[in-house]
Amino acid sequence: MQALPDARELLARTFGAGGETWLVHAPGRVNLIGEHIDYHGLAVLPMAIGRRVRVAFHRRDDRTIRAASVGYGRREFAWTPDLAPAAAGDWENYLRAAARVASVLCGERDLRGVDAAVVSDLPAAAGLSSSSALLVAFTLALLRANGRRATFEELMEVLPEGEQFVGTRGGGMDHAASLASRAGCASLIEFEPLSVRPIPVPEDWGFLAAHSLETAEKSGGARHEYNLRRQAGATALARLGFASYRAAIAGRPEESAQSLDPGPERDSFLHVTSEAARVKQAVDAMVRQDAAGFGHLLLESHASLRDRLKVSSPALDRLVEAAMESGAAGARLTGAGFGGCAVVFCRKPDMPAVRRGLIERYYRARPRFDEERHLIEAVPGPGALCPEMA
Ligand code: NG1
């Protein structure tokens, strides 16, 4: 991968020296387990990673927002109360979503825009939440430019909603992980009520985020499919007469599912309820340092995403298989699916062999492969609100 420009330097080069320069960061995340269940209010276990979006900015005296990003170009718009989306798929939508979110938190009066440079070492559309990291980082920049310090809870009230501006009816996992993760820990994120419990990752456990080399353009084609999965799960719940998935899980979900017709609704219901149980078991396995048990749960999660929710792809299935053939303890697709990354879990001493095996078995035949970009060691890092990110 090309060396990234320094965000401050890009800011000065694009918009001039300006006044005081501020910098905010927001990391991407890899979800270890708990897929396609956050939007049903169920707990998930992601961790923030070292790769992140950085925004360097100057505060302006008017309500104009100007931003530049290498590879995505320059954008400019007026920060008005009634911001509408830009063209579908345009990165300006994340800036506009951040402006909407920030104006809810700041109130509408006397808003100050920014000149900003955005730099990221997170591959886009890869299931590593580069889009949420951009939304989080740009929101924090706008808040800071307006002297508003928002709490984690306040941000979580508005960020997931803000993302829907880009067309995805997602959950809050990515924003919570990007904001509140702790270094060295995975984050058990619960919703209703919102909480984040850091779960220390055993010292000798390692994770790779391995790209399938097929992109998951969630603001484009995969968006519709993603929303259909959410819809199917919600319809199944309503048909069974449960008020929430928590209530369904408290009963006997496997038996309840029998009264649904075979098809996407029943499959979604079974995926969601079984995945919720796997998250709990995975936390226990991590706390007990039971690598074999944890790895097995990742494989079960992948099978459920592939066979029931049908969000995997032949490439992701092959990648998971290649990881296991290479000595991994477990692997599964991570994020929404439809392409993007798999998370590969192994003992740290086995990581070099797993990496080599993946290159040999999966990437060798794929010339687009760039190790720096597509086979990333996911080291559990701090979230944007952690003191070490200030
Ligand atoms: P990705 O596609 O990795 O950003 C999406 C959602 C998550 C969650 C996962 C599936 C957004 C911003 N993110 O993640 O909330 O639902 O899919 O588990 O919509």
Side-chain angles (χ1 to χ4, degrees), residues 29 35-36 38-39 127 132 163 168 170-171 173-174 218 226 335-336:
R29 63 95 186 99
E35 217 63 86
H36 283 271
D38 62 340
Y39 49 71
S132 299
E163 189 112 17
T168 309
M173 161 168 68
D174 303 346
K218 199 149 48 54
Y226 178 93

Side-chain angles (χ1 to χ4, degrees), residues 116-310:
V118 180
V119 165
S120 167
D121 58 0
L122 272 168
L128 296 178
S129 259
S130 58
S131 61
S132 299
L134 171 57
L135 174 61
V136 167
F138 213 78
T139 300
L140 293 177
L142 292 174
L143 291 176
R144 197 139 159 219
N146 286 280
R148 171 77 161 89
R149 274 197 179 276
T151 63
F152 173 60
E153 288 74 15
E154 285 176 317
L155 287 161
M156 287 300 295
E157 279 288 310
V158 287
L159 280 167
E161 204 49 44
E163 189 112 17
Q164 298 186 17
F165 199 63
V166 197
T168 309
R169 296 191 54 76
M173 161 168 68
D174 303 346
H175 318 95
S178 184
L179 287 165
S181 288
R182 302 259 184 89
C185 296
S187 297
L188 176 63
I189 299 170
E190 306 213 39
F191 304 95
E192 305 159 16
L194 177 69
S195 70
V196 181
R197 183 179 139 208
I199 312 287
V201 176
E203 287 278 317
D204 69 333
W205 287 23
F207 295 93
L208 289 167
H211 203 304
S212 66
L213 305 184
E214 290 178 355
T215 49
E217 279 305 343
K218 199 149 48 54
S219 60
R223 171 174 115 190
H224 177 63
E225 291 296 323
Y226 178 93
N227 291 342
L228 284 180
R229 302 309 185 279
R230 182 180 179 134
Q231 187 66 52
T235 308
L237 195 68
R239 281 200 207 291
L240 292 172
F242 290 113
S244 68
Y245 264 100
R246 282 217 192 157
I249 288 162
R252 292 175 188 275
E254 297 252 341
E255 274 174 33
S256 311
Q258 296 315 311
S259 49
L260 293 167
D261 290 337
E265 288 167 17
R266 178 151 104 183
D267 287 345
S268 291
F269 182 82
L270 284 170
H271 168 73
V272 172
T273 51
S274 64
E275 185 77 352
R278 283 188 288 273
V279 171
K280 282 206 168 109
Q281 293 161 13
V283 170
D284 290 346
M286 192 174 263
V287 170
R288 284 198 317 274
Q289 310 204 0
D290 169 10
F294 190 83
H296 184 71
L297 289 161
L298 299 194
L299 289 171
E300 282 190 354
S301 170
H302 184 78
S304 181
L305 290 159
R306 180 191 62 211
D307 302 336
R308 289 173 173 149
L309 215 59
K310 301 188 171 58

